[in-house]
Amino acid sequence: MAIICTAICSFAQHKTARKDTVIEKDTSKENKEPRYFYVSGNTNVFVNTKGGAAKRFSPSVEFGRTYGIFDIGLATGRLNSISPGGDTTRFLEFRPTINIFSKGRFAEALCLGGGYVFKAKQGLMTEICNSINFNITEIWAIAVVQGYYYFDGTNNSRVTQYMGFNLTYNLLKKHSVNINRKKKALVSDN
């Protein structure tokens, strides 16, 4: 009788363990962290730049992939809404981001980016920023961002500080294990 009971308990535990460890193709096998794509619209305003709203406004779009707490993205946009003279304001930037802290619907992230401003005198662009993120739902998130752009050229360089808002859409499949895990993490108190 003890052998039969042990076999039934072992089968039940094996069946439960298999259910809890469902691995989707977009989840890492090592630690079951989600992997999915995202799109983010960024609206930054330079705070140490002279001029009106058109010269201060810096819109961009970022497309990337999440690997658990680490995001890798590629952003493109403009450094202002007007182009002074022969310089362009269009840029392309590689943006790795790490989530430093996460609790329920809130998270804090750090970004260190590098890119290029096309046809500009100060073409090399690097960025450091931090953000406070709020997950509205499992799919949508909004963030308040503060950061610095560093521009380097042959003869000169400059630093520009900005504040902004980001709206992110996570490309998660409905009823997937990843969206269920994210939903559980958003309402968790742990």
Side-chain angles (χ1 to χ4, degrees):
M1 185 69 168
I3 296 173
I4 293 171
C5 187
T6 304
I8 290 171
C9 288
S10 175
F11 176 74
Q13 287 175 347
H14 179 67
K15 188 174 181 181
T16 304
R18 206 174 341 156
K19 182 180 178 188
D20 292 340
T21 58
V22 172
I23 306 282
E24 293 182 344
K25 69 179 182 178
D26 59 349
T27 304
S28 66
K29 293 179 183 175
E30 303 82 29
N31 50 13
K32 300 179 215 143
E33 288 186 335
R35 293 182 179 173
Y36 54 88
F37 291 99
Y38 67 89
V39 170
S40 181
N42 309 320
T43 57
N44 298 326
V45 176
F46 294 115
V47 294
N48 65 342
T49 301
K50 294 178 182 177
K55 191 167 183 178
R56 292 173 176 254
F57 182 63
S58 175
S60 65
V61 175
E62 179 181 348
F63 179 76
R65 185 161 170 98
T66 295
Y67 297 90
I69 64 167
F70 189 68
D71 299 343
I72 297 176
L74 191 62
T76 185
R78 296 181 64 127
L79 295 173
N80 61 45
S81 299
I82 55 175
S83 293
D87 269 3
T88 183
T89 62
R90 298 187 189 279
F91 69 88
L92 185 64
E93 179 186 16
F94 175 68
R95 298 186 80 221
T97 304
I98 188 164
N99 290 321
I100 302 168
F101 171 80
S102 181
K103 178 77 170 164
R105 292 189 179 273
F106 291 93
E108 183 178 359
L110 173 67
C111 168
L112 300 171
Y116 185 73
V117 183
F118 299 103
K119 298 179 184 175
K121 294 174 191 167
Q122 300 167 337
L124 182 61
M125 177 178 85
T126 55
E127 175 186 16
I128 183 168
C129 70
N130 61 332
S131 62
I132 298 173
N133 308 298
F134 177 75
N135 290 285
I136 301 166
T137 66
E138 301 81 33
I139 302 293
W140 291 97
I142 190 166
V144 176
V145 184
Q146 184 273 331
Y148 297 89
Y149 283 127
Y150 299 90
F151 301 99
D152 289 315
T154 306
N155 298 319
N156 55 13
S157 63
R158 66 186 171 106
V159 176
T160 304
Q161 182 180 8
Y162 67 86
M163 296 284 297
F165 293 100
N166 296 356
L167 182 64
T168 302
Y169 180 76
N170 297 313
L171 300 166
L172 288 165
K173 300 173 189 171
K174 288 185 179 183
H175 308 294
S176 69
V177 172
N178 285 335
I179 200 166
N180 290 332
R181 285 183 182 143
K182 189 158 181 142
K183 188 183 299 185
K184 188 176 180 181
L186 292 181
V187 296
S188 172
D189 287 335
N190 297 329

